[in-house]
Amino acid sequence: MIRHLLAVLLMLATLPAFAQAGQQADAAPLQFRDAAEEARFHALTVQLRCVMCQNQSLADSNALIALQLRREVLDLMRQGKSDAQIKDYLVQRYGEFVLYRPPLEGRTLLLWLGPGLVLLAGAGVVVARVRRRKGAAPADDDGQEW
């Protein structure tokens, strides 16, 4: 019984090593055919968001899924797909979130206008509080406000 338990624990202890070996194999640098292919690849991956990191581009992320997506983007490029076709494929797979600049449509309107609306609402709250404080300022003996 104890031997079986030790064998299972030993197998579990080696799992991270296998996972890390697989990740290192994926981390091998990409080989480009020419400078034009490399330039197109970098221009495209900067426009795409890492689906795991969410705040980094596909070009900047070191997440395993970003490494896999970069390989997939390069494969799609080599299949003759245009940048628009590659973006459409990734949007179908991961949603419009994968694009740093989603198209301006009815369903993305809040995404585009949301930050401005939040900023205006915040400014409105600040103005209202300042006016309220000015109106409630105590008067001194001369009847002047402080």
Side-chain angles (χ1 to χ4, degrees), residues 23-54:
Q23 186 173 3
Q24 288 175 349
D26 285 343
L30 297 173
Q31 300 296 320
F32 299 100
R33 293 179 183 159
D34 55 25
E37 181 182 65
E38 184 175 3
R40 179 181 172 212
F41 174 81
H42 287 298
L44 184 57
T45 56
V46 166
Q47 298 173 31
L48 301 169
R49 185 186 315 269
C50 174
V51 296
M52 182 177 168
C53 302
Q54 299 179 5

Side-chain angles (χ1 to χ4, degrees), residues 5-135:
L5 182 61
L6 287 175
V8 169
L9 288 175
L10 182 60
M11 288 187 335
L12 288 174
T14 60
L15 284 178
F18 288 120
Q20 190 175 24
Q23 186 173 3
Q24 288 175 349
D26 285 343
L30 297 173
Q31 300 296 320
F32 299 100
R33 293 179 183 159
D34 55 25
E37 181 182 65
E38 184 175 3
R40 179 181 172 212
F41 174 81
H42 287 298
L44 184 57
T45 56
V46 166
Q47 298 173 31
L48 301 169
R49 185 186 315 269
C50 174
V51 296
M52 182 177 168
C53 302
Q54 299 179 5
N55 63 345
Q56 287 183 315
S57 72
L58 201 55
D60 296 332
S61 175
N62 290 325
L64 180 59
I65 192 165
L67 297 172
Q68 294 167 344
L69 283 174
R70 284 195 294 265
R71 289 192 187 288
E72 191 168 3
V73 166
L74 186 59
D75 289 342
L76 291 169
M77 285 174 50
R78 290 182 175 164
Q79 290 173 16
K81 306 280 186 196
S82 69
D83 290 358
Q85 290 172 321
I86 293 171
K87 288 178 186 178
D88 288 342
Y89 171 77
L90 292 173
V91 165
Q92 288 175 356
R93 199 164 171 197
Y94 299 104
E96 289 187 358
F97 176 78
V98 78
L99 301 174
Y100 261 119
R101 293 185 181 162
L104 184 58
E105 301 173 343
R107 61 184 175 183
T108 60
L109 200 57
L110 185 61
L111 180 66
W112 282 97
L113 299 178
L117 294 174
V118 169
L119 187 64
L120 285 174
V125 168
V126 168
V127 167
R129 295 190 123 214
V130 167
R131 285 184 179 173
R132 197 174 320 150
R133 283 191 182 171
K134 275 188 173 180

